[in-house]
Amino acid sequence: MTAPTDQRAAEERAAHEFRGDDNPLWYKDAIIYQLHVKAYRDHNGDGYGDFRGLLDKLDYIQSLGVDCIWLLPFYPSPLRDDGYDISDYKAINPTYGTLEDFQRFLDAAHARGIRVITELVINHTSDQHPWFQRARLAPKGSPERDWYVWSDDPNRYAGTRIIFTDTETSNWTWDPVAQQFYWHRFFSHQPDLNFDNPEVLEAVKDAMRFWLDMGVDGLRLDAIPYLVERDGTNCENLPETHTVLKQLRAALDAEYHGRIFLAEANQWPPDVRPYFGDSDECHMAFHFPVMPRMYMAVARADRTPIVEIMARTPDIPADCQWAIFLRNHDELTLEMVTDEERDYMYREYAKDPRMRINVGIRRRLAPLMDNARRRIELMNTLLMSMPGTPIMYYGDEIGMGDNVFLGDRNGVRTPMQWNGSWNSGFSEADSAALYSPLIVDPPYGYQGVNVMASERTDSSLLRWMRRLIAVRKTSRAFGRGRIEFLHPANRKILVFLREYEDDIVLVACNLSGSAEPVELDLRRFAGYVPIEMWSDRPFPTIGELPYFLTFGPHGYYWFRLSRPDGAGPGA
Protein backbone atom coordinates (compact mmCIF):
# COMPACT_ATOMS: atom_id res chain seq x y z
CA MET A 1 0.00 0.00 0.00
CA THR A 2 1.33 3.45 -0.95
CA ALA A 3 2.22 5.62 2.03
CA PRO A 4 0.21 8.85 2.34
CA THR A 5 3.30 11.03 1.80
CA ASP A 6 4.25 9.04 -1.32
CA GLN A 7 0.70 9.32 -2.62
CA ARG A 8 0.70 13.07 -2.02
CA ALA A 9 4.01 13.45 -3.84
CA ALA A 10 2.66 11.42 -6.77
CA GLU A 11 -0.43 13.61 -6.94
CA GLU A 12 1.67 16.77 -6.96
CA ARG A 13 3.88 15.42 -9.77
CA ALA A 14 0.85 14.38 -11.84
CA ALA A 15 -0.85 17.71 -11.20
CA HIS A 16 2.25 19.56 -12.39
CA GLU A 17 2.37 17.45 -15.56
CA PHE A 18 -1.34 18.07 -16.13
CA ARG A 19 -0.84 21.83 -15.97
CA GLY A 20 1.53 21.42 -18.88
CA ASP A 21 -1.33 20.23 -21.11
CA ASP A 22 -1.31 22.44 -24.19
CA ASN A 23 -4.96 22.30 -25.26
CA PRO A 24 -6.29 25.85 -24.91
CA LEU A 25 -9.70 24.76 -26.27
CA TRP A 26 -10.13 21.97 -23.71
CA TYR A 27 -13.49 23.40 -22.65
CA LYS A 28 -14.98 22.67 -26.09
CA ASP A 29 -14.47 18.92 -25.66
CA ALA A 30 -15.21 18.76 -21.93
CA ILE A 31 -18.11 17.24 -20.06
CA ILE A 32 -18.69 19.13 -16.81
CA TYR A 33 -20.03 17.64 -13.56
CA GLN A 34 -21.58 20.18 -11.18
CA LEU A 35 -21.66 19.50 -7.45
CA HIS A 36 -21.85 21.13 -4.05
CA VAL A 37 -19.07 20.14 -1.63
CA LYS A 38 -21.52 20.05 1.27
CA ALA A 39 -23.81 17.63 -0.58
CA TYR A 40 -21.30 15.08 -1.83
CA ARG A 41 -19.53 13.21 1.00
CA ASP A 42 -18.99 13.97 4.68
CA HIS A 43 -15.54 12.81 5.77
CA ASN A 44 -15.43 14.06 9.36
CA GLY A 45 -18.95 13.07 10.46
CA ASP A 46 -20.44 16.50 11.19
CA GLY A 47 -23.33 16.15 8.75
CA TYR A 48 -21.85 18.39 6.04
CA GLY A 49 -19.88 17.32 3.00
CA ASP A 50 -16.28 18.49 2.88
CA PHE A 51 -13.22 18.49 0.62
CA ARG A 52 -11.79 15.36 2.20
CA GLY A 53 -15.02 13.56 1.47
CA LEU A 54 -14.98 14.86 -2.10
CA LEU A 55 -11.41 13.62 -2.44
CA ASP A 56 -12.58 10.17 -1.35
CA LYS A 57 -15.06 10.13 -4.25
CA LEU A 58 -12.82 11.38 -7.05
CA ASP A 59 -12.42 7.85 -8.43
CA TYR A 60 -16.20 7.65 -8.84
CA ILE A 61 -16.29 11.01 -10.64
CA GLN A 62 -13.46 9.85 -12.89
CA SER A 63 -15.40 6.66 -13.66
CA LEU A 64 -18.24 8.75 -15.10
CA GLY A 65 -15.92 9.92 -17.85
CA VAL A 66 -16.32 13.62 -17.09
CA ASP A 67 -13.43 16.01 -17.69
CA CYS A 68 -14.22 18.87 -15.35
CA ILE A 69 -15.85 19.53 -11.98
CA TRP A 70 -17.77 22.73 -11.32
CA LEU A 71 -17.93 23.50 -7.60
CA LEU A 72 -20.64 25.65 -6.07
CA PRO A 73 -19.40 28.32 -3.60
CA PHE A 74 -17.34 26.96 -0.72
CA TYR A 75 -16.17 30.28 0.79
CA PRO A 76 -16.89 31.66 4.26
CA SER A 77 -20.53 32.74 4.30
CA PRO A 78 -23.56 33.18 6.55
CA LEU A 79 -25.14 30.62 4.16
CA ARG A 80 -28.35 32.57 3.75
CA ASP A 81 -28.11 31.88 0.01
CA ASP A 82 -26.21 28.58 0.11
CA GLY A 83 -22.84 30.26 -0.16
CA TYR A 84 -23.61 32.80 -2.87
CA ASP A 85 -23.53 35.35 -0.04
CA ILE A 86 -19.76 35.47 0.36
CA SER A 87 -18.12 37.07 3.39
CA ASP A 88 -14.49 36.30 2.43
CA TYR A 89 -13.30 35.69 -1.15
CA LYS A 90 -9.91 34.19 -0.23
CA ALA A 91 -10.69 31.45 2.27
CA ILE A 92 -12.56 28.16 2.70
CA ASN A 93 -15.68 27.82 4.79
CA PRO A 94 -14.33 25.88 7.82
CA THR A 95 -17.28 23.49 7.56
CA TYR A 96 -15.86 22.26 4.24
CA GLY A 97 -12.20 22.08 5.30
CA THR A 98 -9.04 24.12 4.88
CA LEU A 99 -7.10 25.66 2.02
CA GLU A 100 -4.73 22.69 2.30
CA ASP A 101 -7.69 20.32 1.86
CA PHE A 102 -8.77 22.24 -1.22
CA GLN A 103 -5.26 22.19 -2.69
CA ARG A 104 -4.99 18.45 -2.17
CA PHE A 105 -8.37 17.89 -3.82
CA LEU A 106 -7.35 20.10 -6.75
CA ASP A 107 -4.04 18.29 -7.23
CA ALA A 108 -5.75 14.89 -7.01
CA ALA A 109 -8.32 15.95 -9.60
CA HIS A 110 -5.57 17.15 -11.93
CA ALA A 111 -3.69 13.89 -11.39
CA ARG A 112 -6.77 12.12 -12.77
CA GLY A 113 -7.02 14.44 -15.76
CA ILE A 114 -10.00 16.34 -14.31
CA ARG A 115 -10.12 20.13 -14.36
CA VAL A 116 -11.90 22.24 -11.74
CA ILE A 117 -14.07 25.36 -12.18
CA THR A 118 -14.96 27.44 -9.12
CA GLU A 119 -17.31 30.36 -8.57
CA LEU A 120 -16.37 34.03 -8.77
CA VAL A 121 -19.47 35.77 -7.39
CA ILE A 122 -18.67 39.38 -8.18
CA ASN A 123 -22.03 41.08 -8.55
CA HIS A 124 -22.62 41.12 -4.80
CA THR A 125 -21.29 40.05 -1.42
CA SER A 126 -22.87 39.10 1.86
CA ASP A 127 -23.90 42.00 4.06
CA GLN A 128 -21.51 40.39 6.57
CA HIS A 129 -18.48 40.92 4.32
CA PRO A 130 -15.94 43.29 5.91
CA TRP A 131 -16.16 45.47 2.81
CA PHE A 132 -19.85 46.13 3.43
CA GLN A 133 -19.44 46.54 7.18
CA ARG A 134 -16.75 49.13 6.51
CA ALA A 135 -18.89 50.86 3.87
CA ARG A 136 -21.96 51.24 6.06
CA LEU A 137 -19.91 52.77 8.86
CA ALA A 138 -18.09 55.21 6.57
CA PRO A 139 -19.42 58.72 5.88
CA LYS A 140 -21.52 59.42 2.79
CA GLY A 141 -19.38 60.10 -0.24
CA SER A 142 -16.26 58.58 1.31
CA PRO A 143 -14.07 56.12 -0.64
CA GLU A 144 -15.05 53.31 1.76
CA ARG A 145 -18.79 53.92 1.31
CA ASP A 146 -18.28 53.94 -2.47
CA TRP A 147 -17.59 50.17 -2.64
CA TYR A 148 -21.35 49.57 -2.83
CA VAL A 149 -24.30 51.28 -4.54
CA TRP A 150 -26.19 53.71 -2.27
CA SER A 151 -29.05 56.14 -2.68
CA ASP A 152 -31.28 58.43 -0.63
CA ASP A 153 -34.08 57.70 -3.11
CA PRO A 154 -35.51 54.14 -3.28
CA ASN A 155 -37.15 54.98 -6.62
CA ARG A 156 -33.89 55.31 -8.46
CA TYR A 157 -33.40 52.82 -11.33
CA ALA A 158 -37.16 52.31 -11.31
CA GLY A 159 -37.14 50.46 -14.64
CA THR A 160 -35.23 47.51 -13.19
CA ARG A 161 -37.06 44.21 -12.69
CA ILE A 162 -37.01 42.26 -9.43
CA ILE A 163 -35.46 38.81 -9.90
CA PHE A 164 -36.50 37.06 -6.67
CA THR A 165 -40.17 37.88 -6.97
CA ASP A 166 -41.19 35.47 -4.19
CA THR A 167 -39.17 37.23 -1.48
CA GLU A 168 -38.22 40.75 -2.55
CA THR A 169 -40.48 43.75 -3.17
CA SER A 170 -37.71 46.20 -4.09
CA ASN A 171 -34.11 46.25 -5.27
CA TRP A 172 -33.35 48.78 -2.50
CA THR A 173 -33.06 48.10 1.24
CA TRP A 174 -32.73 50.70 3.97
CA ASP A 175 -29.65 50.40 6.14
CA PRO A 176 -30.17 52.03 9.54
CA VAL A 177 -26.44 52.29 10.19
CA ALA A 178 -25.55 53.95 6.89
CA GLN A 179 -28.80 55.94 6.87
CA GLN A 180 -29.13 55.21 3.15
CA PHE A 181 -30.66 52.62 0.86
CA TYR A 182 -28.32 50.07 -0.71
CA TRP A 183 -28.88 48.35 -4.06
CA HIS A 184 -29.26 44.58 -4.50
CA ARG A 185 -30.43 42.58 -7.50
CA PHE A 186 -30.97 39.44 -5.45
CA PHE A 187 -31.70 38.95 -1.75
CA SER A 188 -31.69 41.99 0.50
CA HIS A 189 -28.75 40.53 2.45
CA GLN A 190 -26.64 40.59 -0.74
CA PRO A 191 -25.62 44.21 -1.47
CA ASP A 192 -24.28 44.82 -5.00
CA LEU A 193 -20.70 45.93 -5.47
CA ASN A 194 -20.05 49.24 -7.21
CA PHE A 195 -17.98 48.60 -10.35
CA ASP A 196 -17.80 52.30 -11.08
CA ASN A 197 -15.19 52.29 -8.32
CA PRO A 198 -11.78 51.16 -9.69
CA GLU A 199 -10.83 49.84 -6.25
CA VAL A 200 -13.64 47.28 -6.47
CA LEU A 201 -12.38 45.96 -9.79
CA GLU A 202 -8.85 45.63 -8.42
CA ALA A 203 -10.16 43.76 -5.36
CA VAL A 204 -12.06 41.35 -7.63
CA LYS A 205 -8.93 40.78 -9.72
CA ASP A 206 -7.06 40.03 -6.50
CA ALA A 207 -9.64 37.39 -5.52
CA MET A 208 -9.51 35.94 -9.03
CA ARG A 209 -5.72 35.63 -8.92
CA PHE A 210 -5.82 33.94 -5.52
CA TRP A 211 -7.70 30.90 -6.86
CA LEU A 212 -5.98 30.85 -10.24
CA ASP A 213 -2.62 30.82 -8.46
CA MET A 214 -3.78 27.75 -6.55
CA GLY A 215 -4.43 26.09 -9.90
CA VAL A 216 -8.16 26.26 -10.67
CA ASP A 217 -8.88 25.91 -14.37
CA GLY A 218 -11.81 28.25 -14.72
CA LEU A 219 -14.14 30.67 -12.98
CA ARG A 220 -17.90 30.80 -13.33
CA LEU A 221 -18.88 34.46 -13.29
CA ASP A 222 -22.17 34.63 -11.43
CA ALA A 223 -24.94 37.04 -12.45
CA ILE A 224 -22.76 39.21 -14.66
CA PRO A 225 -25.48 41.09 -16.62
CA TYR A 226 -26.12 43.19 -13.50
CA LEU A 227 -22.65 44.52 -12.67
CA VAL A 228 -23.32 48.16 -13.53
CA GLU A 229 -26.33 50.46 -13.01
CA ARG A 230 -27.40 53.50 -15.01
CA ASP A 231 -30.39 55.84 -14.76
CA GLY A 232 -32.99 55.42 -17.46
CA THR A 233 -32.06 51.79 -18.20
CA ASN A 234 -33.11 48.36 -16.94
CA CYS A 235 -29.61 48.00 -15.46
CA GLU A 236 -28.87 44.86 -17.48
CA ASN A 237 -26.35 44.19 -20.26
CA LEU A 238 -24.95 47.71 -20.16
CA PRO A 239 -21.84 48.65 -22.18
CA GLU A 240 -20.03 49.50 -18.94
CA THR A 241 -20.53 45.90 -17.79
CA HIS A 242 -18.65 44.67 -20.84
CA THR A 243 -15.85 47.13 -20.08
CA VAL A 244 -15.46 45.46 -16.67
CA LEU A 245 -15.40 41.98 -18.20
CA LYS A 246 -12.81 42.95 -20.81
CA GLN A 247 -10.53 44.18 -18.05
CA LEU A 248 -10.93 40.93 -16.12
CA ARG A 249 -10.26 38.89 -19.26
CA ALA A 250 -7.19 40.97 -20.11
CA ALA A 251 -5.76 40.22 -16.66
CA LEU A 252 -6.57 36.52 -17.05
CA ASP A 253 -4.92 36.23 -20.47
CA ALA A 254 -1.86 38.21 -19.45
CA GLU A 255 -1.08 36.11 -16.40
CA TYR A 256 -2.47 32.59 -16.96
CA HIS A 257 -2.59 29.95 -19.68
CA GLY A 258 -5.49 27.68 -20.50
CA ARG A 259 -7.91 29.12 -17.91
CA ILE A 260 -11.45 30.16 -18.75
CA PHE A 261 -14.43 32.31 -17.78
CA LEU A 262 -17.92 30.77 -17.84
CA ALA A 263 -20.63 33.43 -17.96
CA GLU A 264 -23.95 33.13 -16.16
CA ALA A 265 -26.13 35.49 -18.17
CA ASN A 266 -29.78 34.45 -18.10
CA GLN A 267 -30.77 36.38 -21.21
CA TRP A 268 -31.99 35.81 -24.76
CA PRO A 269 -29.21 34.47 -27.05
CA PRO A 270 -28.71 37.77 -28.94
CA ASP A 271 -28.24 39.51 -25.57
CA VAL A 272 -25.75 36.86 -24.43
CA ARG A 273 -23.67 37.12 -27.62
CA PRO A 274 -21.85 40.31 -26.42
CA TYR A 275 -20.55 38.43 -23.36
CA PHE A 276 -18.17 36.58 -25.66
CA GLY A 277 -16.98 39.91 -27.05
CA ASP A 278 -14.39 39.50 -29.78
CA SER A 279 -12.94 36.57 -27.86
CA ASP A 280 -11.97 39.10 -25.20
CA GLU A 281 -14.66 38.56 -22.56
CA CYS A 282 -15.95 35.09 -21.61
CA HIS A 283 -14.87 31.83 -23.19
CA MET A 284 -18.19 30.16 -22.42
CA ALA A 285 -21.75 31.21 -21.59
CA PHE A 286 -24.82 29.25 -20.56
CA HIS A 287 -27.54 28.87 -23.18
CA PHE A 288 -30.47 29.35 -20.83
CA PRO A 289 -33.37 29.54 -23.33
CA VAL A 290 -32.69 26.19 -25.01
CA MET A 291 -33.08 24.33 -21.70
CA PRO A 292 -36.83 24.84 -21.06
CA ARG A 293 -37.49 24.32 -24.76
CA MET A 294 -36.05 20.82 -24.60
CA TYR A 295 -38.63 20.03 -21.92
CA MET A 296 -41.30 21.80 -23.96
CA ALA A 297 -40.46 19.80 -27.09
CA VAL A 298 -40.76 16.49 -25.24
CA ALA A 299 -44.01 17.48 -23.53
CA ARG A 300 -45.54 18.59 -26.84
CA ALA A 301 -43.88 15.84 -28.92
CA ASP A 302 -42.91 18.58 -31.35
CA ARG A 303 -39.42 19.70 -32.36
CA THR A 304 -40.48 23.29 -33.06
CA PRO A 305 -39.41 24.87 -29.72
CA ILE A 306 -35.85 23.58 -30.09
CA VAL A 307 -35.50 24.41 -33.77
CA GLU A 308 -36.88 27.92 -33.31
CA ILE A 309 -34.63 28.89 -30.39
CA MET A 310 -31.57 27.56 -32.18
CA ALA A 311 -32.53 29.63 -35.23
CA ARG A 312 -32.49 32.68 -32.92
CA THR A 313 -29.03 31.77 -31.59
CA PRO A 314 -26.32 33.91 -33.20
CA ASP A 315 -22.91 32.70 -34.26
CA ILE A 316 -20.16 33.13 -31.69
CA PRO A 317 -16.38 33.40 -32.09
CA ALA A 318 -14.69 30.17 -33.15
CA ASP A 319 -12.84 29.81 -29.85
CA CYS A 320 -15.97 30.39 -27.73
CA GLN A 321 -18.57 27.87 -26.60
CA TRP A 322 -22.10 27.58 -25.27
CA ALA A 323 -22.67 25.62 -22.04
CA ILE A 324 -25.88 23.58 -21.98
CA PHE A 325 -27.64 21.82 -19.13
CA LEU A 326 -30.86 20.08 -18.15
CA ARG A 327 -30.85 20.85 -14.44
CA ASN A 328 -28.67 22.55 -11.88
CA HIS A 329 -28.73 23.88 -8.32
CA ASP A 330 -31.21 26.66 -9.16
CA GLU A 331 -34.79 26.47 -10.31
CA LEU A 332 -35.57 25.43 -13.87
CA THR A 333 -35.77 29.04 -14.94
CA LEU A 334 -38.67 30.19 -17.10
CA GLU A 335 -37.55 33.80 -17.50
CA MET A 336 -36.62 33.34 -21.14
CA VAL A 337 -40.00 32.03 -22.34
CA THR A 338 -43.28 33.74 -23.22
CA ASP A 339 -46.08 34.01 -20.67
CA GLU A 340 -48.04 31.38 -22.61
CA GLU A 341 -45.06 29.02 -22.65
CA ARG A 342 -44.48 29.56 -18.93
CA ASP A 343 -48.09 28.65 -18.16
CA TYR A 344 -47.71 25.54 -20.30
CA MET A 345 -44.55 24.48 -18.48
CA TYR A 346 -46.21 24.95 -15.10
CA ARG A 347 -49.17 22.82 -16.21
CA GLU A 348 -46.94 20.06 -17.54
CA TYR A 349 -44.14 19.97 -15.00
CA ALA A 350 -45.24 21.79 -11.82
CA LYS A 351 -48.89 21.07 -11.14
CA ASP A 352 -48.28 21.35 -7.39
CA PRO A 353 -47.60 25.01 -6.49
CA ARG A 354 -44.87 23.83 -4.10
CA MET A 355 -42.86 22.83 -7.16
CA ARG A 356 -42.64 26.47 -8.25
CA ILE A 357 -40.36 29.24 -7.08
CA ASN A 358 -39.73 32.74 -8.39
CA VAL A 359 -40.17 32.35 -12.17
CA GLY A 360 -39.29 28.70 -12.40
CA ILE A 361 -39.64 25.10 -11.25
CA ARG A 362 -37.61 23.55 -8.43
CA ARG A 363 -37.45 19.89 -9.43
CA ARG A 364 -34.77 17.44 -10.50
CA LEU A 365 -34.60 15.72 -13.88
CA ALA A 366 -36.02 12.31 -12.92
CA PRO A 367 -39.17 13.70 -11.23
CA LEU A 368 -39.67 16.11 -14.12
CA MET A 369 -39.71 13.07 -16.42
CA ASP A 370 -42.05 11.21 -14.02
CA ASN A 371 -39.19 8.75 -13.54
CA ALA A 372 -39.74 7.40 -17.06
CA ARG A 373 -36.42 5.85 -18.06
CA ARG A 374 -36.78 6.37 -21.82
CA ARG A 375 -37.65 10.05 -21.37
CA ILE A 376 -34.68 10.53 -19.03
CA GLU A 377 -32.44 8.89 -21.63
CA LEU A 378 -33.88 11.05 -24.40
CA MET A 379 -33.24 14.26 -22.47
CA ASN A 380 -29.66 13.24 -21.74
CA THR A 381 -29.17 12.29 -25.38
CA LEU A 382 -30.23 15.81 -26.35
CA LEU A 383 -27.93 17.29 -23.71
CA MET A 384 -24.94 15.40 -25.08
CA SER A 385 -25.60 16.09 -28.77
CA MET A 386 -26.76 19.72 -28.96
CA PRO A 387 -24.12 22.41 -29.66
CA GLY A 388 -22.06 23.27 -26.62
CA THR A 389 -20.41 21.75 -23.58
CA PRO A 390 -22.81 19.62 -21.51
CA ILE A 391 -23.10 20.07 -17.76
CA MET A 392 -24.44 17.23 -15.59
CA TYR A 393 -25.85 17.88 -12.12
CA TYR A 394 -24.69 15.55 -9.37
CA GLY A 395 -27.13 12.74 -8.63
CA ASP A 396 -28.94 13.02 -11.94
CA GLU A 397 -26.71 10.23 -13.24
CA ILE A 398 -28.46 7.81 -10.85
CA GLY A 399 -31.95 9.35 -11.11
CA MET A 400 -32.11 11.11 -7.74
CA GLY A 401 -35.36 12.76 -6.69
CA ASP A 402 -36.15 16.02 -4.92
CA ASN A 403 -37.98 17.32 -1.85
CA VAL A 404 -40.46 20.08 -2.66
CA PHE A 405 -41.22 20.50 1.06
CA LEU A 406 -37.81 22.08 1.70
CA GLY A 407 -37.55 25.86 1.45
CA ASP A 408 -36.04 27.95 -1.33
CA ARG A 409 -34.22 25.76 -3.90
CA ASN A 410 -32.93 23.31 -1.29
CA GLY A 411 -35.14 20.49 -2.54
CA VAL A 412 -32.69 19.79 -5.37
CA ARG A 413 -29.61 20.11 -3.13
CA THR A 414 -30.03 17.03 -0.91
CA PRO A 415 -27.17 14.64 -0.01
CA MET A 416 -25.70 12.40 -2.67
CA GLN A 417 -27.03 8.85 -2.36
CA TRP A 418 -24.13 6.40 -2.25
CA ASN A 419 -25.72 3.25 -0.86
CA GLY A 420 -28.68 1.93 1.08
CA SER A 421 -27.01 1.99 4.51
CA TRP A 422 -26.93 4.63 7.24
CA ASN A 423 -27.51 8.11 5.81
CA SER A 424 -27.09 6.66 2.31
CA GLY A 425 -23.34 6.43 2.88
CA PHE A 426 -23.11 10.22 2.82
CA SER A 427 -22.26 10.73 6.50
CA GLU A 428 -21.68 8.87 9.76
CA ALA A 429 -23.41 11.66 11.70
CA ASP A 430 -26.79 11.36 13.37
CA SER A 431 -29.47 11.77 10.72
CA ALA A 432 -30.81 14.83 12.55
CA ALA A 433 -27.38 16.47 12.19
CA LEU A 434 -27.34 16.34 8.37
CA TYR A 435 -27.42 19.70 6.61
CA SER A 436 -30.52 18.47 4.76
CA PRO A 437 -32.92 15.53 5.11
CA LEU A 438 -32.26 12.60 2.81
CA ILE A 439 -34.73 11.53 0.15
CA VAL A 440 -36.40 8.53 1.83
CA ASP A 441 -39.77 7.99 0.14
CA PRO A 442 -40.23 5.79 -2.91
CA PRO A 443 -39.62 5.83 -5.79
CA TYR A 444 -36.56 8.04 -5.17
CA GLY A 445 -35.60 6.96 -1.64
CA TYR A 446 -31.91 6.31 -1.10
CA GLN A 447 -32.57 2.68 -0.12
CA GLY A 448 -33.27 1.91 -3.79
CA VAL A 449 -31.75 4.83 -5.73
CA ASN A 450 -28.05 4.91 -4.96
CA VAL A 451 -24.65 4.39 -6.56
CA MET A 452 -24.06 0.92 -5.09
CA ALA A 453 -27.35 -0.45 -6.40
CA SER A 454 -26.66 1.15 -9.77
CA GLU A 455 -23.21 -0.44 -9.95
CA ARG A 456 -24.77 -3.87 -9.35
CA THR A 457 -27.28 -3.51 -12.18
CA ASP A 458 -26.01 -3.78 -15.74
CA SER A 459 -29.04 -1.90 -17.10
CA SER A 460 -28.96 0.92 -14.54
CA LEU A 461 -29.17 4.58 -15.52
CA LEU A 462 -25.67 5.13 -14.11
CA ARG A 463 -24.14 2.50 -16.41
CA TRP A 464 -26.10 3.91 -19.35
CA MET A 465 -24.84 7.43 -18.58
CA ARG A 466 -21.24 6.22 -18.56
CA ARG A 467 -21.83 4.61 -21.93
CA LEU A 468 -23.46 7.79 -23.28
CA ILE A 469 -20.45 9.86 -22.24
CA ALA A 470 -18.01 7.33 -23.69
CA VAL A 471 -19.84 7.31 -27.03
CA ARG A 472 -19.94 11.11 -27.14
CA LYS A 473 -16.20 11.23 -26.66
CA THR A 474 -15.63 9.26 -29.88
CA SER A 475 -16.58 12.33 -31.93
CA ARG A 476 -15.28 15.88 -31.68
CA ALA A 477 -18.23 17.00 -33.81
CA PHE A 478 -20.41 17.15 -30.69
CA GLY A 479 -18.21 19.70 -28.92
CA ARG A 480 -16.84 21.60 -31.90
CA GLY A 481 -19.10 20.98 -34.89
CA ARG A 482 -21.69 23.15 -36.52
CA ILE A 483 -25.36 22.13 -36.42
CA GLU A 484 -27.80 21.79 -39.30
CA PHE A 485 -31.43 20.85 -38.69
CA LEU A 486 -33.34 18.68 -41.12
CA HIS A 487 -37.08 19.23 -41.52
CA PRO A 488 -38.88 15.96 -42.17
CA ALA A 489 -42.66 15.97 -42.42
CA ASN A 490 -43.07 14.22 -39.05
CA ARG A 491 -42.56 17.02 -36.51
CA LYS A 492 -42.35 14.51 -33.68
CA ILE A 493 -38.89 13.63 -34.94
CA LEU A 494 -35.97 15.98 -34.25
CA VAL A 495 -33.10 15.44 -36.69
CA PHE A 496 -29.85 17.34 -37.04
CA LEU A 497 -26.32 16.98 -38.35
CA ARG A 498 -23.19 17.82 -36.39
CA GLU A 499 -20.16 18.36 -38.61
CA TYR A 500 -16.53 19.06 -37.72
CA GLU A 501 -13.77 18.67 -40.28
CA ASP A 502 -14.28 15.15 -41.74
CA ASP A 503 -16.46 13.98 -38.83
CA ILE A 504 -20.21 13.95 -39.58
CA VAL A 505 -22.78 12.78 -37.03
CA LEU A 506 -26.51 12.39 -37.67
CA VAL A 507 -28.71 12.66 -34.57
CA ALA A 508 -32.36 11.59 -34.76
CA CYS A 509 -34.74 11.60 -31.78
CA ASN A 510 -38.38 10.65 -31.34
CA LEU A 511 -39.87 13.26 -29.02
CA SER A 512 -43.13 11.34 -28.60
CA GLY A 513 -44.23 8.41 -26.47
CA SER A 514 -45.43 6.42 -29.48
CA ALA A 515 -43.64 4.50 -32.22
CA GLU A 516 -42.89 6.81 -35.14
CA PRO A 517 -41.53 6.62 -38.72
CA VAL A 518 -39.57 9.27 -40.58
CA GLU A 519 -38.20 9.78 -44.08
CA LEU A 520 -35.03 11.84 -44.39
CA ASP A 521 -33.62 13.61 -47.41
CA LEU A 522 -29.97 12.59 -47.23
CA ARG A 523 -29.21 12.59 -50.96
CA ARG A 524 -26.11 14.70 -50.54
CA PHE A 525 -24.63 11.82 -48.53
CA ALA A 526 -25.40 9.18 -51.17
CA GLY A 527 -22.87 6.38 -50.84
CA TYR A 528 -22.23 7.01 -47.14
CA VAL A 529 -22.91 4.28 -44.59
CA PRO A 530 -24.54 5.33 -41.29
CA ILE A 531 -22.64 3.61 -38.47
CA GLU A 532 -24.81 3.36 -35.35
CA MET A 533 -22.44 4.76 -32.73
CA TRP A 534 -23.61 2.78 -29.70
CA SER A 535 -23.16 -0.62 -31.34
CA ASP A 536 -20.68 0.35 -34.08
CA ARG A 537 -23.03 -1.47 -36.51
CA PRO A 538 -23.56 -0.31 -40.11
CA PHE A 539 -27.04 0.56 -41.31
CA PRO A 540 -28.08 0.42 -45.00
CA THR A 541 -26.11 2.68 -47.34
CA ILE A 542 -27.66 6.05 -48.10
CA GLY A 543 -28.94 6.40 -51.66
CA GLU A 544 -30.91 8.86 -53.77
CA LEU A 545 -34.28 7.88 -52.29
CA PRO A 546 -35.56 9.12 -48.90
CA TYR A 547 -33.82 7.33 -46.02
CA PHE A 548 -36.37 5.57 -43.82
CA LEU A 549 -36.04 5.13 -40.04
CA THR A 550 -38.45 3.85 -37.42
CA PHE A 551 -38.35 4.67 -33.71
CA GLY A 552 -39.71 3.18 -30.55
CA PRO A 553 -41.29 5.55 -28.00
CA HIS A 554 -38.76 8.25 -27.12
CA GLY A 555 -36.21 6.44 -29.25
CA TYR A 556 -33.00 7.96 -30.59
CA TYR A 557 -30.12 7.26 -32.96
CA TRP A 558 -26.60 8.59 -33.26
CA PHE A 559 -25.01 7.75 -36.60
CA ARG A 560 -21.50 8.47 -37.82
CA LEU A 561 -21.65 8.89 -41.58
CA SER A 562 -18.84 6.95 -43.23
CA ARG A 563 -17.91 6.01 -46.79
CA PRO A 564 -18.35 2.32 -47.70
CA ASP A 565 -14.58 1.92 -48.17
CA GLY A 566 -14.04 3.05 -44.59
CA ALA A 567 -11.84 5.92 -45.71
CA GLY A 568 -13.87 8.39 -43.71
CA PRO A 569 -16.65 10.79 -44.67
CA GLY A 570 -14.37 13.50 -45.94
CA ALA A 571 -12.10 11.29 -48.08
Side-chain angles (χ1 to χ4, degrees), residues 37-87:
V37 176
K38 79 170 183 182
Y40 214 63
R41 175 70 173 96
D42 172 18
H43 181 87
N44 64 3
D46 66 354
Y48 287 75
D50 46 48
F51 277 107
R52 291 190 178 186
L54 179 55
L55 179 62
D56 293 340
K57 295 299 183 180
L58 271 179
D59 287 343
Y60 166 78
I61 295 173
Q62 184 180 20
S63 78
L64 293 175
V66 301
D67 312 278
C68 183
I69 297 170
W70 161 23
L71 297 176
L72 295 180
F74 48 76
Y75 314 102
S77 165
L79 297 179
R80 297 181 66 187
D81 187 20
D82 209 13
Y84 281 91
D85 48 331
I86 295 173
S87 57

Side-chain angles (χ1 to χ4, degrees), residues 208-219:
M208 175 183 86
R209 292 183 180 106
F210 181 86
W211 297 104
L212 293 169
D213 287 344
M214 290 194 76
V216 302
D217 302 280
L219 298 166

Side-chain angles (χ1 to χ4, degrees), residues 488-507:
N490 187 347
R491 295 200 311 182
K492 296 179 181 179
I493 308 300
L494 173 69
V495 189
F496 53 88
L497 293 159
R498 303 298 314 279
E499 298 185 50
Y500 178 70
E501 295 179 346
D502 63 349
D503 194 0
I504 306 174
V505 173
L506 176 69
V507 176

